[in-house]
Amino acid sequence: MLQRDADQNCRVITGLEYLTFETLVVINAGITRDNLLLRMKDEEWTSVMDVNLSGAFNVTRAATRRIMKSKRVRLINITSVVGLQGNDGQANNAASTGGIIAFTKAV
């Protein structure tokens, strides 16, 4: 579970203590706020980035120490194909899912 602290930083507050030597962490959360780019509000862009891309980052960062210690914990990010091929009215979703794909490869 993620919780925002006073500085608006997300932190994982439950669940990590259950990571064992053979655990699979699956990140599959995401939202869409579809709109054509010309009509897209800043809030629509920001909310998708905050949930999709920042959510994957925060969970991954929080789990990294245990993942590296055990060498048997696996992390899987599930995201939309829109990050690879784009879709009309989904610039924010395409950017966030493309970012998750690149982020996962870099980790």
Side-chain angles (χ1 to χ4, degrees):
M1 171 190 291
L2 291 177
Q3 176 180 335
R4 290 198 183 270
D5 63 19
D7 296 325
Q8 293 300 304
N9 295 316
C10 291
R11 57 190 170 94
V12 177
I13 59 170
T14 61
L16 290 183
E17 64 272 14
Y18 301 109
L19 288 181
T20 63
F21 289 105
E22 294 189 24
T23 300
L24 181 66
V25 178
V26 178
I27 302 171
N28 187 33
I31 63 169
T32 59
R33 298 288 183 263
D34 297 351
N35 209 344
L36 296 175
L37 187 59
L38 290 171
R39 295 182 194 151
M40 188 172 292
K41 297 178 177 98
D42 288 348
E43 189 277 330
E44 292 171 324
W45 176 271
T46 304
S47 65
V48 170
M49 291 298 162
D50 284 349
V51 172
N52 298 1
L53 190 54
S54 296
F57 166 75
N58 286 309
V59 172
T60 302
R61 181 177 56 180
T64 297
R65 180 167 292 156
R66 288 188 187 236
I67 289 171
M68 292 180 75
K69 272 186 180 178
S70 81
K71 306 257 189 222
R72 296 178 81 182
V73 174
R74 298 294 180 245
L75 176 73
I76 297 175
N77 279 316
I78 299 174
T79 191
S80 169
V81 70
V82 171
L84 296 174
Q85 64 189 31
N87 199 20
D88 293 340
Q90 292 190 328
N92 51 4
N93 193 29
S96 70
T97 57
I100 291 169
I101 292 166
F103 171 74
T104 303
K105 289 178 180 183
V107 174

